[in-house]
Amino acid sequence: MPELPEVETIRLYLSSKIVGKTISKIDILTKKQFIGEPQKIIGHKITGIIRRGKILTFVLEKDWFLNIHLKLTGQLLYAANVNKAVFNHKIPFVKTQKMPSSTTRVIITFTDQSGLFFNDLRKFGWLKVSRQPEKVKAPDVLSPDFNLPYFAKILWVSKKPIKVLLMDQEKIAGLGNIYTNDALFLAKIHPLRKACSFNQKETETLYQKIIDVIKEGLRWKGSSDVAYLLPDATTGRYQNHFKVYGREGEPCLVCATPIKRFKHHGRSSFFCPKCQKKWI
DNA sequence: AGTATCCTGGAA
DNA sequence: TTCCAGGATACT
């Protein structure tokens, strides 16, 4: 899905649009994607929106919560009037169209007739009503808990390849395939290097590059490479600034060597064979 | 540690 | 027709 920068962009956008509004209706078009009882939160006001890792949580009155995971193709589109919603956009999967579209799975309407369309082509995402925010085990990349001592601690005890560790949401919350690949490139580290093989300097560099690349992604409002859109159906622009992700065969931005791709843990890894030497 | 699985549709 | 996809989990 959207990774941390995409979800945070959505959170920032929606904070100014729906906080203070009261849910009047929830239409569930794809049952398996809505967990819990929607009627429990009908009539409740949204008092805030938080995000930890890739999970967005609407905080409601009286200790109710609506947690959302967009997975790979989830979108949250905001309309001032849910009955007259038309979005114009051109990226794949959802073309210019009236809402609800063929990929709309849930519609949340507020008392002023504004609302949200949860669209999700691949049906992996979910919404979940609960009495407490969905638990996220690891520190979020942008939280103070994600500090250098913590990062060093998890690296030095792990025998996993560094890329696998960085994408483990129980160790660090928020990184996905795009930003992990790009952070490793910026730090000049091969994705398969064992985490426990890092020295102090390498650890510090990678720590800083992770934060840098996440902030850059946020600055461009995320990457609209596949299905991600802002709630107004505009696109993010980090895809125009990819370092190695999705750039197989294209020249390395530093040394012009063609970027290589390989599969590992079911995911594509992209790297520059010259800048990111294998192991020590 | 690797692979299959949940889904759908665009690209090669 | 086959491969591919910002995720995460459940298997062998």
Side-chain angles (χ1 to χ4, degrees), chain A residues 2-250:
Chain A
E3 306 177 32
L4 190 158
E6 289 75 25
V7 182
E8 179 65 6
T9 300
I10 292 170
R11 190 189 70 81
L12 290 167
Y13 185 100
L14 291 181
S15 291
S16 66
K17 296 288 185 184
I18 68 169
V19 170
K21 292 188 178 179
T22 299
I23 297 171
S24 63
K25 189 160 72 122
I26 300 178
D27 296 299
I28 301 168
L29 287 64
T30 306
K31 216 167 184 180
K32 61 166 271 192
Q33 295 187 262
F34 197 101
I35 302 151
E37 301 172 70
Q39 63 272 25
K40 297 285 191 194
I41 57 170
I42 302 291
H44 288 221
K45 186 192 285 186
I46 297 176
T47 60
I49 309 177
I50 58 175
R51 177 198 59 74
R52 277 125 349 112
K54 304 172 189 175
I55 295 180
L56 201 59
T57 300
F58 295 172
V59 180
L60 305 164
E61 293 173 312
K62 297 171 192 163
D63 288 329
W64 283 98
F65 300 88
L66 179 62
N67 307 283
I68 302 172
H69 199 316
L70 299 169
K71 291 291 181 83
L72 286 162
T73 56
Q75 306 169 327
L76 281 174
L77 301 181
Y78 171 81
N81 185 329
V82 289
N83 299 308
K84 297 179 188 170
V86 180
F87 292 99
N88 298 302
H89 49 85
K90 296 181 180 111
I91 70 158
F93 300 132
V94 186
K95 303 191 170 54
T96 299
Q97 56 190 280
K98 196 173 181 301
M99 293 291 126
S101 72
S102 59
T103 63
T104 299
R105 313 301 181 198
V106 178
I107 306 167
I108 299 171
T109 306
F110 302 110
T111 50
D112 67 350
Q113 299 308 304
S114 68
L116 293 173
F117 294 91
F118 170 67
N119 292 352
D120 185 11
L121 171 75
R122 293 177 70 182
K123 300 182 179 174
F124 294 162
W126 47 257
L127 283 72
K128 182 173 167 184
V129 171
S130 63
R131 297 314 305 265
Q132 50 216 327
E134 187 74 9
K135 54 175 180 280
V136 174
K137 295 169 188 166
D140 186 274
V141 172
L142 294 183
S143 81
D145 297 341
F146 181 66
N147 49 43
L148 185 57
Y150 173 80
F151 187 62
K153 192 181 84 182
I154 59 167
L155 253 65
W156 297 346
V157 301
S158 172
K159 290 173 188 157
K160 290 180 183 168
I162 186 62
K163 181 163 183 270
V164 175
L165 181 70
L166 296 185
M167 291 181 66
D168 182 349
Q169 302 302 302
E170 295 191 5
K171 296 291 192 300
I172 305 169
L175 291 172
N177 209 21
I178 290 179
Y179 297 99
T180 301
N181 274 294
D182 278 6
L184 289 168
F185 169 77
L186 291 175
K188 300 187 185 296
I189 289 162
H190 191 284
L192 295 182
R193 266 280 298 278
K194 292 265 186 295
C196 57
S197 74
F198 283 56
N199 65 29
Q200 178 72 28
K201 181 95 191 300
E202 291 169 324
T203 304
E204 280 180 33
T205 301
L206 180 56
Y207 171 76
Q208 195 53 53
K209 296 303 180 186
I210 287 168
I211 293 174
D212 289 351
V213 80
I214 287 292
K215 287 189 173 170
E216 190 187 351
L218 190 52
R219 192 159 64 82
W220 293 111
K221 299 184 187 294
S223 354
S224 291
D225 193 41
V226 177
Y228 161 75
L229 292 174
L230 272 72
D232 61 358
T234 58
T235 57
R237 284 175 296 167
Y238 182 73
Q239 68 279 13
N240 302 323
H241 303 270
F242 285 162
K243 318 302 174 205
V244 289
Y245 181 82
R247 299 189 65 243
E248 183 182 17
E250 293 177 38

